[in-house]
Amino acid sequence: MTPRKTSALDEQNKTEEVLVVGAGPAGLMAADALLSRGYPVLLAEAKPSPARKFLMAGKSGLNLTKIEADETFRSAYGSGSAALSPMLDTFGPEEVRDWAEGLGQDTFVGSTGRLFPVAMKGSPLLRAWLARLDAMGLRRRTRWRWEGWENQASLFTTPEGRQPVTPRATVLALGGASWARLGSDGRWADHFASAGLSVAPFAPSNAGLTIHWSGHMTPHLGRPLKNIRLSAGTLTSRGEVTLSAHGLEGGGLYPLTPALRDGATLAIDLFPDLDTSSLTKRIEKPRGKQSLSNHLRKTLKLSPQVQALMMEFARPLPTDPGALARLLKALPIPHDGPRPMDEPISTAGGVPFDSLDTGLMLRARPGTFCAGEMLDWEAPTGGYLLTACLATGFWAGRHAAGWLEKGA
């Protein structure tokens, strides 16, 4: 009889590898931490190639982190700051810079404190990282979709069929629930629920806002609103947004998503560098026979899109200069909430920190650690998201190694 050929699956069961599920930044960093401690790692990814969301984000300039005062940096994580602090202490902005430069990617700090690789793209950094991990012995499997557990085994659907894997330890870095085409579809939450594990409901984060424009806005769609301040609830943000066919998009809006998804009103300060009194004095200048709209356009140097926005939501404009100034300092923008779940850059919700120990290990499943966007935290864009994904991946990988070293 011809001996049965040994498969890759047989080999991994023999060597009792550590399993990392998800090849985004958090999963890759967990694998890096484990390999650095001498543990063989099998990395399973549902998509045909790793880090697709990372590469997409890098197409417009890969913002790695934000170099700023520690207190300011931590405040970006809102209610998640306390839980993430130990991880950011270990792998924060300076460590992100050292990591990138250690992979041969020179970096620079932009005028707003954002750190970028000189190449600006994610692909050179990812190639260098994967080459290093492969040289350390990483074993990669793609098109392997995690389908939950059967006793102690993780189950996968693969091109070769259904595959169980029973590792000594597991790090799950399964992502959030946005950009499903790139791998983050949130399907893992159903498997957690089937296993009796709690998951906070997903919610959009860093999301565009749905606004139903009237027809007169059509010529202005695609144009930016610059030099504005936005506010919703207790949150404020200074940045640019774009008028889109579906509403508003842009980095200036994204930090307000927690308040906007709870129904807070959006208000835009169209003149953030002028106080109400100074703006009133400008409006009070004699306008002669000009219409009020022409007077405002010339006196306040309004762009066509700003004029259109005013007409959309503030017509008829108050004739009293003081009342008009107050309106332009806080123009209310009615909306129908954030864009649908798959469109935002990231999501809130996921595995609650109280279901994990301090090493990010599931209390109900010893030996299984969680990292990245699948954890219940959120942060605005600008380097905060990526930094915390790397930090939690490093933390989970390091603590998985520590757990194994204790002979668990």
Side-chain angles (χ1 to χ4, degrees):
M1 179 181 292
T2 303
R4 183 176 66 88
K5 185 177 180 181
T6 301
S7 69
L9 184 63
D10 293 329
E11 284 301 314
Q12 74 195 34
N13 283 332
K14 287 179 182 178
T15 54
E16 295 186 295
E17 293 167 313
V18 181
L19 173 66
V20 175
V21 187
L28 291 172
M29 186 56 78
D32 200 331
L34 283 154
L35 289 164
S36 296
R37 298 279 277 268
Y39 287 96
V41 174
L42 173 70
L43 177 66
E45 166 59 39
K47 289 296 184 180
S49 58
R52 290 191 164 197
K53 192 172 180 181
F54 174 82
L55 290 175
M56 177 65 76
K59 282 189 174 181
S60 58
L62 183 63
N63 183 191
L64 294 170
T65 191
K66 187 82 174 287
I67 305 298
E68 61 188 355
D70 186 66
E71 183 178 349
T72 303
F73 187 86
R74 301 298 173 89
S75 69
Y77 296 94
S79 60
S81 177
L84 291 169
S85 277
M87 299 150 216
L88 295 171
D89 285 343
T90 302
F91 205 95
E94 290 301 333
E95 287 76 18
V96 171
R97 174 156 50 187
D98 292 344
W99 161 74
E101 294 189 347
L103 290 169
Q105 304 302 303
D106 292 336
T107 63
F108 71 95
V109 179
S111 59
T112 61
R114 296 180 178 186
L115 182 76
F116 298 90
V118 171
M120 291 299 287
K121 298 179 181 180
S123 50
L125 179 59
L126 180 61
R127 283 196 299 270
W129 198 8
L130 290 173
R132 185 176 78 182
L133 294 174
D134 290 344
M136 294 167 71
L138 178 66
R139 299 175 66 198
R140 292 194 260 156
R141 297 288 182 269
T142 55
R143 295 185 173 90
W144 277 41
R145 175 173 284 278
W146 187 75
E147 299 290 358
W149 295 281
E150 185 175 86
N151 298 321
Q152 297 305 308
S154 276
L155 303 178
F156 293 89
T157 54
T158 79
E160 291 77 33
R162 190 169 181 266
Q163 301 276 26
V165 178
T166 306
R168 294 176 59 199
T170 301
V171 178
L172 299 176
L174 296 165
S178 66
W179 294 23
R181 68 192 184 280
L182 301 179
S184 296
D185 57 18
R187 281 173 47 180
W188 59 265
D190 294 335
H191 302 308
F192 267 56
S194 297
L197 301 172
S198 62
V199 177
F202 293 118
S205 184
N206 292 297
L209 197 61
T210 301
I211 300 172
H212 297 288
W213 305 114
S214 66
H216 98 278
M217 291 295 292
T218 301
H220 307 284
L221 300 182
R223 293 182 177 178
L225 300 175
K226 298 183 177 183
N227 193 27
I228 58 173
R229 180 183 292 116
L230 304 99
S231 61
T234 61
L235 303 177
T236 62
S237 174
R238 181 89 180 249
E240 183 176 314
V241 298
T242 299
L243 302 171
S244 75
H246 299 297
L248 290 175
E249 291 281 352
L253 183 69
Y254 298 154
L256 308 183
T257 307
L260 294 169
R261 67 176 180 241
D262 288 340
T265 299
L266 174 66
I268 298 181
D269 181 352
L270 297 170
F271 297 92
D273 297 322
L274 290 176
D275 59 27
T276 304
S277 176
S278 300
L279 184 57
T280 300
K281 289 178 181 178
R282 291 194 181 189
I283 296 171
E284 286 176 333
K285 290 180 179 180
R287 61 184 173 102
K289 295 182 180 181
Q290 296 182 98
S291 66
L292 178 58
S293 59
N294 276 335
H295 171 66
L296 294 176
R297 177 176 60 82
K298 293 178 180 179
T299 304
L300 303 180
K301 297 180 174 58
L302 300 178
S303 67
Q305 54 268 36
V306 168
Q307 294 178 70
L309 196 68
M310 290 166 54
M311 293 300 101
E312 181 79 353
F313 296 123
R315 190 165 41 183
L317 295 175
T319 55
D320 175 71
L324 181 53
R326 288 190 293 274
L327 177 65
L328 300 182
K329 291 287 290 178
L331 181 66
I333 310 293
H335 63 85
D336 290 322
R339 295 295 300 155
M341 187 76 74
D342 193 46
E343 294 183 20
I345 292 172
S346 60
T347 50
V351 180
F353 281 101
D354 61 11
S355 68
L356 303 161
D357 70 7
T358 56
L360 297 180
M361 184 171 71
L362 285 166
R363 298 181 190 278
R365 290 195 70 91
T368 299
F369 299 77
C370 299
E373 281 194 62
M374 72 179 295
L375 301 176
D376 185 15
W377 60 276
E378 63 180 317
T381 56
Y384 304 107
L385 270 170
L386 181 55
T387 299
C389 285
L390 294 170
T392 56
F394 181 81
W395 187 265
R398 192 176 76 167
H399 281 79
W403 187 78
L404 290 169
E405 286 164 4
K406 292 176 182 176

